[in-house]
Amino acid sequence: MKILIINGPNLNLLGTREPETYGDKSFENYFSQLQFKFKNTSLSYFQSNIEGELIDKLHECDHEFDGVVLNAAAYTHTSIGLGDALKAIKTPVVEVHISNTHAREDFRKKSFLSANAKGVIFGFGLASYDLAIESFLIEKQ
Ligand code: DQA
């Protein structure tokens, strides 16, 4: 099973960015833990602050991975382009968020991705990524 994790804008600052909301662990650190935990799964990681690069990555990775775990961060709430990309590709995408976006500002309640995602997991801190990976593995059982 090959899974790609894609993180969007500002998530390169995890660990120092608003730790009360996003925790104090860097994603690189967390990614190593994920690789250790899911030893039998091939995990890859890509991060960009640029909307077009995220869209390009989704196009590129189509057919290359069994699943994508996508935290598009702020673009979730603004990007029709990313939503269309999810619709255009065949690889299933699980949308994740670290925080419970529905318990925050109203503008975070709207997602342009969810309608074209396989499923959505949010509000469990970094464990949202674990749960998204698990969701692909459960399917294979
Ligand atoms: C986020 C939630 C978004 O609203 C926010 O813009 C982010 C992170 C999350 O993981 O909780 O950057 O996607």
Side-chain angles (χ1 to χ4, degrees):
M1 164 83 61
K2 283 179 73 181
I3 294 176
L4 172 65
I5 298 173
I6 300 180
N7 272 345
N10 302 307
L11 293 173
N12 53 315
L13 299 182
L14 280 179
T16 55
R17 173 195 180 202
E18 300 175 68
E20 60 293 349
T21 304
Y22 300 116
D24 54 12
K25 197 173 274 178
S26 75
F27 198 80
E28 284 69 20
N29 206 314
Y30 190 67
F31 185 66
S32 309
Q33 273 179 239
L34 284 175
Q35 284 178 308
F36 186 75
K37 179 172 171 185
F38 295 100
K39 279 195 188 69
N40 299 325
T41 304
S42 157
L43 293 178
S44 307
Y45 172 54
F46 176 78
Q47 190 277 331
S48 175
N49 294 319
I50 300 166
E51 185 177 6
E53 285 188 3
L54 298 168
I55 293 172
D56 282 345
K57 192 69 186 175
L58 285 164
H59 293 175
E60 260 170 51
C61 83
D62 200 15
H63 304 295
E64 232 190 272
F65 291 90
D66 301 299
V68 171
V69 174
L70 172 64
N71 186 348
Y75 289 141
T76 305
H77 319 299
T78 61
S79 179
I80 295 169
L82 266 169
D84 283 351
L86 262 52
K87 197 169 189 176
I89 65 171
K90 293 275 178 293
T91 305
V93 177
V94 172
E95 175 185 346
V96 301
H97 300 284
I98 297 163
S99 62
N100 178 353
T101 46
H102 286 259
R104 301 179 64 192
E105 301 95 326
D106 277 349
F107 64 82
R108 294 187 205 276
K109 292 181 183 153
K110 169 76 189 164
S111 167
F112 283 101
L113 311 181
S114 305
N116 297 316
K118 186 159 191 281
V120 186
I121 298 170
F122 56 87
F124 296 95
L126 287 171
S128 295
Y129 293 86
D130 293 67
L131 295 168
I133 294 167
E134 299 272 8
S135 77
F136 285 115
L137 299 177
I138 285 163
E139 266 230 324
K140 279 272 159 186
Q141 281 170 7

